[in-house]
């Protein structure tokens, strides 16, 4: 398969993440609907954590099998194990710092009680304008920060998917590459829904530009991974990016569970998580049934 056709496949697999993003512009859905959407996102992301960790563990599992068969040493085991735990730790803990940086915003000076009395009739003073305008903030809302965090984690995961697509096409396994694109495209459609689920609780409707940004962060790495995977394949590279993705997605799952647990209606939480898990496993089953 030519490089151009391979990149087209990678683009298709990543672009389907845009399908679920317009849901983020729904304003103030019923509380029960919002809770169910968040819970469904949790289920999808829990499946992704399992799926990503399973693929990241494969090289380590193969190295352990060689030790058991006395056909390999412990060096690869320690090497892959270090990459696995290191990537998982960095993915989980670095997003904590990422979240704290986004939460930092300057605190505007507040006028003292009665200070407004010094403004008299006539021309508006500069200080008076500052008191009448709403204080500017440089940070994003909590919902948008969480949406960006989800997009970052999914983007790392999709980079690993792109490596698989590009590697299959580069080895001439056209059927496998096509099946991977179909399965990953279905996956990414549900992942887009997971990105924007927190935005249902945001006070302001997200702009199309913001939604496209989250789609680029989440789906764009699929194309990049496809381009790299077609040139060469590397188990250590796959372990690093997959474990990073697992750690970052796990961070988001913890955040969403905390939000859902405070919202009440626990039955909606369980039903939504079940629906999200079902969506993830069904799309994965399509790929497996095709022989991928």
């Amino acid at each position: 398969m030519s490089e151009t056709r391979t990149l087209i496949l990678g683009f298709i697999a990543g672009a389907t993440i845009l399908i679920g993003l317009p849901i983020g512009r729904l304003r103030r859905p019923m509380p029960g609907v919002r809770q169910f959407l968040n819970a469904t996102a949790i289920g999808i992301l829990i499946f992704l954590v399992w799926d990503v960790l399973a693929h990241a563990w494969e090289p380590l599992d193969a190295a352990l099998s060689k030790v058991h068969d006395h056909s390999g040493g412990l060096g690869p085991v320690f090497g892959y194990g270090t990459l696995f735990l290191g990537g998982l730790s960095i993915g989980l803990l670095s997003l904590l710092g990422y979240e704290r940086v986004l939460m930092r915003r300057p605190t505007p000076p507040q006028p003292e009680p009665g200070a407004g009395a010094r403004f008299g009739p006539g021309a508006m003073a500069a200080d008076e304008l500052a008191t009448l305008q709403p204080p500017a903030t440089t940070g994003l809302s909590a919902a948008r920060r969480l949406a960006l965090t989800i997009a970052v984690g999914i983007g790392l995961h999709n980079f690993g998917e792109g490596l698989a697509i590009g590697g299959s096409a580069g080895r001439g396994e056209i059927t496998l590459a096509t099946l991977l694109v179909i399965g990953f495209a279905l996956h990414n459609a549900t992942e887009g829904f997971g990105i924007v689920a927190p935005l249902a609780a945001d006070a302001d409707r997200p702009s199309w530009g913001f939604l496209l940004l989250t789609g680029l962060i989440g789906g764009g790495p699929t194309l990049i991974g496809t381009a790299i995977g077609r040139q060469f394949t590397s188990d250590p590279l796959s372990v690093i990016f997959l474990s990073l993705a697992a750690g970052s997605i796990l961070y988001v799952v913890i955040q969403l569970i905390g939000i859902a647990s405070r919202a009440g209606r626990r039955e909606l939480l369980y039903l939504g998580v079940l629906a999200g898990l079902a969506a993830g496993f069904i799309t994965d089953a399509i790929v497996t049934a095709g022989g991928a």
Side-chain angles (χ1 to χ4, degrees), residues 108-158:
Q110 300 295 327
E112 298 179 359
R118 69 178 185 273
F119 299 126
M124 179 177 290
D127 291 341
E128 185 179 1
L129 178 63
T131 61
L132 293 178
Q133 291 179 337
T137 57
T138 59
L140 297 170
S141 66
R144 298 193 186 196
R145 291 197 304 268
L146 187 54
L148 284 175
T149 304
I150 295 173
V152 170
I154 288 178
L156 291 171
H157 165 239
N158 286 341

Short mmCIF file of all heavy atoms in Angstrom, two decimals, residues 108-158:
data_model
loop_
_atom_site.label_atom_id
_atom_site.label_comp_id
_atom_site.label_asym_id
_atom_site.label_seq_id
_atom_site.Cartn_x
_atom_site.Cartn_y
_atom_site.Cartn_z
N PRO A 108 -8.20 39.22 40.61
CA PRO A 108 -8.27 40.67 40.40
C PRO A 108 -8.48 41.40 41.71
O PRO A 108 -9.14 40.90 42.62
CB PRO A 108 -9.49 40.82 39.47
CG PRO A 108 -10.33 39.63 39.74
CD PRO A 108 -9.37 38.52 40.07
N PRO A 109 -7.91 42.59 41.82
CA PRO A 109 -8.12 43.37 43.06
C PRO A 109 -9.58 43.75 43.22
O PRO A 109 -10.25 44.15 42.27
CB PRO A 109 -7.23 44.60 42.85
CG PRO A 109 -7.09 44.72 41.36
CD PRO A 109 -7.11 43.31 40.84
N GLN A 110 -10.07 43.59 44.43
CA GLN A 110 -11.47 43.90 44.72
C GLN A 110 -11.55 45.31 45.32
O GLN A 110 -10.74 45.67 46.18
CB GLN A 110 -12.06 42.89 45.71
CG GLN A 110 -12.04 41.47 45.18
CD GLN A 110 -12.93 41.31 43.97
OE1 GLN A 110 -13.96 41.97 43.85
NE2 GLN A 110 -12.53 40.44 43.06
N PRO A 111 -12.52 46.12 44.91
CA PRO A 111 -12.66 47.47 45.47
C PRO A 111 -13.06 47.40 46.94
O PRO A 111 -13.80 46.51 47.37
CB PRO A 111 -13.77 48.09 44.62
CG PRO A 111 -14.55 46.93 44.10
CD PRO A 111 -13.55 45.83 43.91
N GLU A 112 -12.54 48.32 47.71
CA GLU A 112 -12.89 48.39 49.12
C GLU A 112 -14.33 48.84 49.29
O GLU A 112 -14.88 49.53 48.43
CB GLU A 112 -11.95 49.37 49.83
CG GLU A 112 -10.48 48.95 49.77
CD GLU A 112 -9.60 49.97 50.46
OE1 GLU A 112 -10.15 50.98 50.95
OE2 GLU A 112 -8.38 49.75 50.51
N PRO A 113 -14.96 48.44 50.38
CA PRO A 113 -16.35 48.86 50.61
C PRO A 113 -16.47 50.37 50.60
O PRO A 113 -15.70 51.09 51.25
CB PRO A 113 -16.67 48.28 52.00
CG PRO A 113 -15.71 47.12 52.16
CD PRO A 113 -14.46 47.54 51.42
N GLY A 114 -17.43 50.85 49.84
CA GLY A 114 -17.64 52.28 49.77
C GLY A 114 -16.72 53.01 48.82
O GLY A 114 -16.81 54.22 48.67
N ALA A 115 -15.80 52.27 48.18
CA ALA A 115 -14.85 52.93 47.31
C ALA A 115 -15.53 53.53 46.10
O ALA A 115 -15.05 54.51 45.52
CB ALA A 115 -13.77 51.95 46.87
N GLY A 116 -16.69 52.95 45.71
CA GLY A 116 -17.36 53.46 44.53
C GLY A 116 -17.90 54.87 44.72
O GLY A 116 -18.21 55.57 43.75
N ALA A 117 -17.98 55.35 45.98
CA ALA A 117 -18.55 56.66 46.23
C ALA A 117 -17.66 57.78 45.72
O ALA A 117 -18.10 58.91 45.53
CB ALA A 117 -18.82 56.84 47.73
N ARG A 118 -16.35 57.47 45.49
CA ARG A 118 -15.45 58.52 45.07
C ARG A 118 -15.66 58.89 43.61
O ARG A 118 -15.11 59.87 43.13
CB ARG A 118 -14.00 58.10 45.31
CG ARG A 118 -13.50 56.99 44.40
CD ARG A 118 -12.04 56.68 44.67
NE ARG A 118 -11.50 55.70 43.77
CZ ARG A 118 -11.55 54.40 43.93
NH1 ARG A 118 -12.18 53.90 44.98
NH2 ARG A 118 -11.02 53.58 43.06
N PHE A 119 -16.41 58.05 42.85
CA PHE A 119 -16.65 58.36 41.45
C PHE A 119 -17.83 59.32 41.35
O PHE A 119 -18.93 59.00 41.79
CB PHE A 119 -16.94 57.09 40.64
CG PHE A 119 -15.80 56.10 40.67
CD1 PHE A 119 -16.03 54.80 41.07
CD2 PHE A 119 -14.53 56.49 40.31
CE1 PHE A 119 -14.99 53.89 41.09
CE2 PHE A 119 -13.49 55.59 40.34
CZ PHE A 119 -13.72 54.29 40.74
N GLY A 120 -17.60 60.45 40.80
CA GLY A 120 -18.66 61.45 40.70
C GLY A 120 -19.22 61.49 39.30
O GLY A 120 -18.82 60.74 38.41
N PRO A 121 -20.14 62.39 39.03
CA PRO A 121 -20.71 62.53 37.69
C PRO A 121 -19.68 63.10 36.74
O PRO A 121 -18.70 63.70 37.15
CB PRO A 121 -21.88 63.50 37.92
CG PRO A 121 -21.50 64.28 39.14
CD PRO A 121 -20.73 63.34 40.00
N GLY A 122 -19.93 62.90 35.47
CA GLY A 122 -19.01 63.43 34.47
C GLY A 122 -18.28 62.31 33.80
O GLY A 122 -18.79 61.20 33.62
N ALA A 123 -17.01 62.53 33.40
CA ALA A 123 -16.22 61.53 32.69
C ALA A 123 -15.94 60.35 33.59
O ALA A 123 -15.73 60.48 34.80
CB ALA A 123 -14.91 62.17 32.22
N MET A 124 -15.93 59.14 32.97
CA MET A 124 -15.67 57.92 33.72
C MET A 124 -14.17 57.79 33.99
O MET A 124 -13.35 57.93 33.09
CB MET A 124 -16.16 56.69 32.95
CG MET A 124 -15.89 55.37 33.66
SD MET A 124 -16.57 53.97 32.74
CE MET A 124 -18.31 54.25 32.95
N ALA A 125 -13.83 57.54 35.22
CA ALA A 125 -12.43 57.34 35.56
C ALA A 125 -12.00 55.93 35.19
O ALA A 125 -12.82 55.02 35.05
CB ALA A 125 -12.23 57.56 37.07
N ALA A 126 -10.70 55.73 35.07
CA ALA A 126 -10.18 54.42 34.68
C ALA A 126 -10.50 53.37 35.72
O ALA A 126 -10.85 52.24 35.41
CB ALA A 126 -8.67 54.52 34.45
N ASP A 127 -10.40 53.73 37.00
CA ASP A 127 -10.69 52.77 38.07
C ASP A 127 -12.16 52.39 38.07
O ASP A 127 -12.52 51.27 38.41
CB ASP A 127 -10.30 53.35 39.42
CG ASP A 127 -8.79 53.49 39.57
OD1 ASP A 127 -8.07 52.81 38.81
OD2 ASP A 127 -8.35 54.27 40.44
N GLU A 128 -13.03 53.35 37.71
CA GLU A 128 -14.45 53.06 37.68
C GLU A 128 -14.77 52.04 36.61
O GLU A 128 -15.60 51.14 36.81
CB GLU A 128 -15.23 54.35 37.41
CG GLU A 128 -16.74 54.16 37.48
CD GLU A 128 -17.47 55.46 37.23
OE1 GLU A 128 -16.82 56.48 37.00
OE2 GLU A 128 -18.71 55.44 37.27
N LEU A 129 -14.10 52.11 35.46
CA LEU A 129 -14.31 51.14 34.39
C LEU A 129 -13.93 49.75 34.85
O LEU A 129 -14.59 48.76 34.56
CB LEU A 129 -13.49 51.53 33.15
CG LEU A 129 -13.57 50.58 31.96
CD1 LEU A 129 -15.01 50.55 31.43
CD2 LEU A 129 -12.63 51.04 30.85
N ALA A 130 -12.85 49.65 35.62
CA ALA A 130 -12.40 48.35 36.10
C ALA A 130 -13.41 47.72 37.05
O ALA A 130 -13.58 46.51 37.09
CB ALA A 130 -11.04 48.48 36.80
N THR A 131 -14.11 48.59 37.84
CA THR A 131 -15.07 48.04 38.78
C THR A 131 -16.36 47.63 38.11
O THR A 131 -17.08 46.77 38.60
CB THR A 131 -15.38 49.06 39.88
OG1 THR A 131 -15.94 50.23 39.26
CG2 THR A 131 -14.11 49.44 40.64
N LEU A 132 -16.71 48.26 36.98
CA LEU A 132 -17.97 47.96 36.32
C LEU A 132 -17.88 46.74 35.43
O LEU A 132 -18.86 46.06 35.20
CB LEU A 132 -18.42 49.16 35.47
CG LEU A 132 -18.81 50.42 36.27
CD1 LEU A 132 -19.19 51.54 35.30
CD2 LEU A 132 -19.96 50.12 37.22
N GLN A 133 -16.70 46.44 34.87
CA GLN A 133 -16.54 45.31 34.00
C GLN A 133 -16.32 44.04 34.80
O GLN A 133 -15.72 44.07 35.88
CB GLN A 133 -15.35 45.52 33.06
CG GLN A 133 -15.59 46.61 32.03
CD GLN A 133 -14.38 46.78 31.15
OE1 GLN A 133 -13.28 46.44 31.53
NE2 GLN A 133 -14.60 47.32 29.96
N PRO A 134 -16.79 42.87 34.32
CA PRO A 134 -16.53 41.62 35.03
C PRO A 134 -15.05 41.31 35.00
O PRO A 134 -14.37 41.59 34.01
CB PRO A 134 -17.33 40.58 34.21
CG PRO A 134 -17.50 41.19 32.87
CD PRO A 134 -17.57 42.67 33.09
N PRO A 135 -14.49 40.79 36.08
CA PRO A 135 -13.06 40.51 36.14
C PRO A 135 -12.67 39.51 35.07
O PRO A 135 -13.36 38.52 34.83
CB PRO A 135 -12.86 39.93 37.56
CG PRO A 135 -14.21 39.43 37.95
CD PRO A 135 -15.20 40.33 37.29
N ALA A 136 -11.57 39.79 34.40
CA ALA A 136 -11.08 38.89 33.34
C ALA A 136 -10.40 37.68 33.96
O ALA A 136 -9.75 37.76 34.99
CB ALA A 136 -10.10 39.63 32.45
N THR A 137 -10.59 36.57 33.36
CA THR A 137 -9.94 35.35 33.81
C THR A 137 -9.16 34.77 32.66
O THR A 137 -9.55 34.86 31.51
CB THR A 137 -10.96 34.31 34.30
OG1 THR A 137 -11.87 34.05 33.25
CG2 THR A 137 -11.73 34.83 35.51
N THR A 138 -8.05 34.21 32.98
CA THR A 138 -7.19 33.63 31.95
C THR A 138 -7.33 32.12 31.87
O THR A 138 -6.84 31.52 30.93
CB THR A 138 -5.72 33.98 32.25
OG1 THR A 138 -5.37 33.47 33.54
CG2 THR A 138 -5.51 35.48 32.24
N GLY A 139 -7.98 31.51 32.86
CA GLY A 139 -8.10 30.06 32.85
C GLY A 139 -9.36 29.61 32.14
O GLY A 139 -10.20 30.39 31.72
N LEU A 140 -9.48 28.28 32.02
CA LEU A 140 -10.66 27.67 31.43
C LEU A 140 -11.57 27.18 32.55
O LEU A 140 -11.13 26.99 33.68
CB LEU A 140 -10.25 26.50 30.54
CG LEU A 140 -9.39 26.84 29.32
CD1 LEU A 140 -8.87 25.55 28.70
CD2 LEU A 140 -10.17 27.63 28.30
N SER A 141 -12.82 26.96 32.22
CA SER A 141 -13.75 26.41 33.19
C SER A 141 -13.33 24.98 33.53
O SER A 141 -12.58 24.34 32.78
CB SER A 141 -15.17 26.42 32.65
OG SER A 141 -15.28 25.52 31.54
N ALA A 142 -13.81 24.49 34.66
CA ALA A 142 -13.45 23.14 35.09
C ALA A 142 -13.88 22.11 34.05
O ALA A 142 -13.16 21.14 33.79
CB ALA A 142 -14.08 22.84 36.44
N ALA A 143 -15.06 22.30 33.45
CA ALA A 143 -15.55 21.35 32.46
C ALA A 143 -14.65 21.33 31.23
O ALA A 143 -14.35 20.27 30.67
CB ALA A 143 -16.98 21.70 32.06
N ARG A 144 -14.19 22.49 30.79
CA ARG A 144 -13.34 22.54 29.60
C ARG A 144 -11.94 22.01 29.89
O ARG A 144 -11.31 21.39 29.03
CB ARG A 144 -13.28 23.97 29.06
CG ARG A 144 -14.65 24.47 28.64
CD ARG A 144 -14.59 25.74 27.84
NE ARG A 144 -15.93 26.25 27.59
CZ ARG A 144 -16.23 27.16 26.69
NH1 ARG A 144 -15.27 27.67 25.94
NH2 ARG A 144 -17.47 27.57 26.52
N ARG A 145 -11.45 22.27 31.10
CA ARG A 145 -10.16 21.68 31.46
C ARG A 145 -10.24 20.16 31.44
O ARG A 145 -9.32 19.48 30.97
CB ARG A 145 -9.73 22.17 32.86
CG ARG A 145 -9.35 23.63 32.93
CD ARG A 145 -8.56 23.92 34.18
NE ARG A 145 -9.28 23.52 35.38
CZ ARG A 145 -10.07 24.32 36.08
NH1 ARG A 145 -10.28 25.56 35.68
NH2 ARG A 145 -10.68 23.88 37.17
N LEU A 146 -11.34 19.63 31.95
CA LEU A 146 -11.50 18.17 31.97
C LEU A 146 -11.63 17.63 30.56
O LEU A 146 -11.07 16.58 30.24
CB LEU A 146 -12.72 17.80 32.81
CG LEU A 146 -12.93 16.30 33.08
CD1 LEU A 146 -11.69 15.69 33.71
CD2 LEU A 146 -14.14 16.10 33.98
N ALA A 147 -12.35 18.35 29.68
CA ALA A 147 -12.48 17.91 28.30
C ALA A 147 -11.12 17.88 27.60
O ALA A 147 -10.81 16.94 26.85
CB ALA A 147 -13.44 18.84 27.55
N LEU A 148 -10.28 18.90 27.84
CA LEU A 148 -8.94 18.91 27.25
C LEU A 148 -8.09 17.78 27.81
O LEU A 148 -7.30 17.16 27.08
CB LEU A 148 -8.27 20.26 27.51
CG LEU A 148 -8.75 21.44 26.66
CD1 LEU A 148 -8.08 22.72 27.14
CD2 LEU A 148 -8.44 21.20 25.19
N THR A 149 -8.24 17.51 29.10
CA THR A 149 -7.48 16.42 29.71
C THR A 149 -7.86 15.08 29.09
O THR A 149 -7.00 14.24 28.80
CB THR A 149 -7.72 16.38 31.23
OG1 THR A 149 -7.40 17.65 31.79
CG2 THR A 149 -6.85 15.32 31.89
N ILE A 150 -9.16 14.86 28.89
CA ILE A 150 -9.61 13.63 28.24
C ILE A 150 -9.04 13.54 26.83
O ILE A 150 -8.59 12.48 26.39
CB ILE A 150 -11.15 13.58 28.21
CG1 ILE A 150 -11.71 13.50 29.63
CG2 ILE A 150 -11.64 12.39 27.39
CD1 ILE A 150 -13.23 13.61 29.70
N ALA A 151 -9.05 14.67 26.10
CA ALA A 151 -8.54 14.67 24.73
C ALA A 151 -7.06 14.32 24.70
O ALA A 151 -6.60 13.60 23.80
CB ALA A 151 -8.78 16.04 24.09
N VAL A 152 -6.29 14.81 25.67
CA VAL A 152 -4.86 14.49 25.72
C VAL A 152 -4.65 12.99 25.91
O VAL A 152 -3.85 12.35 25.23
CB VAL A 152 -4.17 15.29 26.85
CG1 VAL A 152 -2.75 14.79 27.07
CG2 VAL A 152 -4.14 16.77 26.51
N GLY A 153 -5.38 12.41 26.87
CA GLY A 153 -5.24 10.98 27.12
C GLY A 153 -5.65 10.14 25.92
O GLY A 153 -4.96 9.18 25.55
N ILE A 154 -6.76 10.51 25.29
CA ILE A 154 -7.21 9.76 24.12
C ILE A 154 -6.25 9.94 22.96
O ILE A 154 -6.03 9.03 22.16
CB ILE A 154 -8.65 10.19 23.75
CG1 ILE A 154 -9.62 9.65 24.80
CG2 ILE A 154 -9.05 9.70 22.37
CD1 ILE A 154 -11.06 10.05 24.57
N GLY A 155 -5.66 11.14 22.84
CA GLY A 155 -4.69 11.36 21.78
C GLY A 155 -3.48 10.45 21.90
O GLY A 155 -3.00 9.90 20.90
N LEU A 156 -2.99 10.26 23.11
CA LEU A 156 -1.88 9.33 23.32
C LEU A 156 -2.29 7.90 22.94
O LEU A 156 -1.52 7.15 22.34
CB LEU A 156 -1.42 9.39 24.78
CG LEU A 156 -0.71 10.67 25.21
CD1 LEU A 156 -0.52 10.68 26.72
CD2 LEU A 156 0.63 10.83 24.51
N HIS A 157 -3.50 7.55 23.33
CA HIS A 157 -4.01 6.21 22.98
C HIS A 157 -4.12 6.05 21.47
O HIS A 157 -3.73 5.02 20.90
CB HIS A 157 -5.37 6.02 23.65
CG HIS A 157 -6.15 4.87 23.11
ND1 HIS A 157 -7.41 5.03 22.56
CD2 HIS A 157 -5.88 3.55 23.01
CE1 HIS A 157 -7.86 3.85 22.16
NE2 HIS A 157 -6.95 2.94 22.41
N ASN A 158 -4.64 7.07 20.79
CA ASN A 158 -4.82 6.98 19.34
C ASN A 158 -3.50 6.99 18.59
O ASN A 158 -3.43 6.50 17.46
CB ASN A 158 -5.73 8.12 18.86
CG ASN A 158 -7.18 7.89 19.23
OD1 ASN A 158 -7.59 6.76 19.52
ND2 ASN A 158 -7.97 8.95 19.23
#
